[in-house]
Amino acid sequence: EGVWKSKMKYLRAIYAQEKENSFAQPEFFSFVKKNREWLLPYAVFSALRDSYGTADFRDWGQYSTFSWELIEKMASKESPLYTDVYFWIFVQYHLHLQMVDAKRHAHSQGVALKGDIPIGISRCSVEAWQYPHLFNFSQQAGAPPDAFSTDGQNWGFPTYNWEEMEKDNYTWWKNRFSHFAKYFDAYRIDHILGFFRIWEIPAEYRSGLMGHFSPAMPLSKANLASWGFEHIGRTGLFIEDPYTKGKYHPMIGALQSEEFSLLTHREQESFRNLYHNYFYERHNDFWYNNAMKKLQQLIASSNMLTCGEDLGMLNESVSRCMNNLKILSLELQIMPKECGVELGNPANYPYLSVCTTSTHDCETLRMWLGARNGTADATPEECAEVLEKNLAAPSMLAIFPLQDWLSID
């Protein structure tokens, strides 16, 4: 917070000193004109956020609802926020110049730049303010339980209203990708599984265990009866679909629940089969087609190399889609994709992949390798051996966190 305040103090001073020079540049006028669709709403949003002291636009009174009439009014010279609006435009303009210059310099040195496309947006963001129809604010995005989080994850982001996005062929996404290509040569799609299906948690819940996949094909009462579950309420093993009343999803943590333990042996066996079918078989083609119609359009919107973070609860549809679209997978030794394998072997990685030793979601190489070896810390020699194996992998790219490079000395 202290660093942010210091930077803002300097930026305000530079803005007062340099704004007339910047505004007089033909490149500035061109930048504002080309990026008007996102730039003006962003600048007005930022000015209103600072004025009200909160990014929650629902507390902005008459300004809580976005309109282009409001944007034009706030960005006009008669507006009391005019100076603040153009401060944020000034900042974005110079960030653009610096990023373009960085890319040019990197290319001159034989270096490619890889960026990151986040999966979610904040509930209190300009995107949520400008395009509320594109998001489901009654739901929260997250991830189902896994070996790293027994309660699952709740990120708090609203989920995407894909049906609404499809009406204009995913223009919002295409604009993000094409703008990104100005600064990067390759990109990583964060949580690419979200393009197949997202783990949705109703807004009233905090635990990831209360979630369900969306989109999905929930089970009708007739479907459940065919598996031997006529009485939904008695078992407590299902969660009702928020979009279609009277249809149900098996609860992700059902197999470990008390309700499951109270079933007869025959009922338990039937539920296990239903559970496996629902999560690993029923949706394969459905999720494959769902991702293909989005991703092939988005990938075609730029010439960047596409990489996907495909870690988590995988099924056959994910690898099939990524292989067909030539999207590089992410290979991480401590999260192997082979069932029953504790530590992956880099020698077996596919060519169309990025291999790494750690991510922002897990421990550093020294930490996980030390824990695996039963010591407090791994030696430089042990760390170097792991890096060498990853560098020798068939993967197209090997990208390691800085701390893992430093661990070899």
Side-chain angles (χ1 to χ4, degrees):
E1 191 175 342
V3 171
W4 174 258
K5 287 179 179 178
S6 295
K7 286 189 174 186
M8 287 299 104
K9 182 179 177 181
Y10 279 114
L11 280 172
R12 292 281 181 180
I14 293 168
Y15 174 60
Q17 176 182 300
E18 299 293 335
K19 62 181 179 181
E20 297 304 328
N21 291 335
S22 290
F23 295 168
Q25 295 172 4
E27 294 86 357
F28 178 82
F29 177 80
S30 177
F31 174 76
V32 174
K33 184 178 180 180
K34 287 180 181 177
N35 297 282
R36 181 180 183 277
E37 181 72 19
W38 69 266
L39 181 62
L40 289 186
Y42 168 78
V44 171
F45 177 92
S46 299
L48 286 168
R49 174 199 63 207
D50 296 346
S51 175
Y52 278 94
T54 176
D56 191 345
F57 52 87
R58 300 158 191 86
D59 295 335
W60 293 354
Q62 61 179 317
Y63 305 123
S64 61
T65 301
F66 173 90
S67 72
W68 274 105
E69 182 182 358
L70 170 63
I71 299 300
E72 300 289 356
K73 180 181 176 182
M74 292 291 103
S76 69
K77 289 190 176 181
E78 293 72 35
S79 168
L81 292 180
Y82 174 79
T83 298
D84 288 333
V85 168
Y86 271 81
F87 166 73
W88 291 106
I89 292 175
F90 172 88
V91 170
Q92 288 296 313
Y93 172 61
H94 283 284
L95 287 172
H96 165 74
L97 294 180
Q98 291 175 15
M99 286 295 291
V100 169
D101 191 50
K103 182 180 180 181
R104 186 185 306 115
H105 177 70
H107 284 187
S108 74
Q109 302 301 310
V111 173
L113 298 180
K114 181 184 176 198
D116 196 74
I117 300 277
I119 187 60
I121 66 149
S122 169
R123 292 176 177 272
C124 300
S125 64
V126 64
E127 293 93 344
W129 184 54
Q130 186 176 1
Y131 303 106
H133 60 294
L134 298 182
F135 307 96
N136 300 314
F137 292 100
S138 64
Q139 302 293 320
Q140 307 166 94
D146 56 26
F148 292 84
S149 176
T150 55
D151 198 46
Q153 298 177 44
N154 183 345
W155 305 325
F157 309 140
T159 59
Y160 295 111
N161 184 342
W162 289 111
E163 290 183 0
E164 196 65 33
M165 288 182 161
E166 189 179 6
K167 289 179 181 178
D168 66 358
N169 291 316
Y170 312 104
T171 296
W172 183 80
W173 277 102
K174 288 177 180 176
N175 288 343
R176 298 183 91 192
F177 279 57
S178 59
H179 190 78
F180 215 62
K182 297 176 182 177
Y183 314 121
F184 299 102
D185 307 294
Y187 64 99
R188 163 193 176 271
I189 301 177
D190 174 43
H191 192 63
I192 197 171
L193 302 185
F195 286 83
F196 294 79
R197 76 294 182 278
I198 197 74
W199 189 247
E200 248 184 10
I201 306 157
E204 61 267 27
Y205 297 119
R206 292 181 63 87
S207 171
L209 289 170
M210 298 305 295
H212 58 274
F213 281 128
S214 179
M217 297 185 290
L219 300 163
S220 67
K221 290 183 179 180
N223 293 146
L224 291 168
S226 70
W227 289 90
F229 294 94
E230 293 87 351
H231 307 290
I232 308 301
R234 183 177 69 82
T235 63
L237 300 172
F238 302 93
I239 187 168
E240 190 171 23
D241 185 78
Y243 305 106
T244 312
K245 298 301 179 183
K247 293 199 172 183
Y248 300 86
H249 306 265
M251 293 190 71
I252 192 72
L255 298 178
Q256 290 77 43
S257 69
E258 182 181 355
E259 288 87 350
F260 179 77
S261 68
L262 296 176
L263 298 178
T264 66
H265 177 75
R266 184 175 179 179
E267 287 175 327
Q268 287 184 355
E269 188 64 25
S270 180
F271 187 83
R272 283 195 191 94
N273 292 335
L274 180 156
Y275 185 96
H276 185 273
N277 175 272
Y278 188 85
F279 287 114
Y280 297 100
E281 296 174 4
R282 178 178 173 86
H283 294 94
N284 278 356
D285 289 338
F286 178 73
W287 285 337
Y288 173 82
N289 294 328
N290 187 47
M292 283 292 289
K293 70 180 181 181
K294 301 169 192 168
L295 290 172
Q296 60 187 348
Q297 291 194 54
L298 303 187
I299 290 170
S301 65
S302 81
N303 290 322
M304 294 182 290
L305 177 68
T306 308
C307 309
E309 186 228 4
D310 57 334
L311 302 179
M313 193 172 175
L314 298 172
N315 75 350
E316 176 272 339
S317 65
V318 178
S319 57
R320 183 171 22 134
C321 174
M322 291 178 67
N323 286 336
N324 287 345
L325 295 178
K326 302 297 184 283
I327 300 174
L328 276 65
S329 64
L330 180 62
E331 304 298 332
L332 178 62
Q333 273 191 277
I334 54 174
M335 290 186 71
K337 290 167 182 163
E338 303 90 344
C339 187
V341 176
E342 187 178 342
L343 190 68
N345 182 359
N348 296 332
Y349 293 162
Y351 173 66
L352 291 179
S353 70
V354 178
C355 68
T356 189
T357 46
S358 309
T359 76
H360 64 283
D361 283 326
C362 62
E363 298 169 320
T364 64
L365 172 58
R366 282 175 60 182
M367 293 167 71
W368 70 254
L369 189 57
R372 182 174 175 79
N373 294 343
T375 59
D377 207 356
T379 67
E381 292 75 21
E382 290 170 333
C383 294
E385 183 180 357
V386 172
L387 258 67
E388 286 169 1
K389 286 181 178 179
N390 277 270
L391 287 167
S395 303
M396 183 189 292
L397 300 172
I399 305 176
F400 308 139
L402 178 61
Q403 56 266 44
D404 288 3
W405 279 112
L406 296 177
S407 71
I408 66 176
D409 189 325

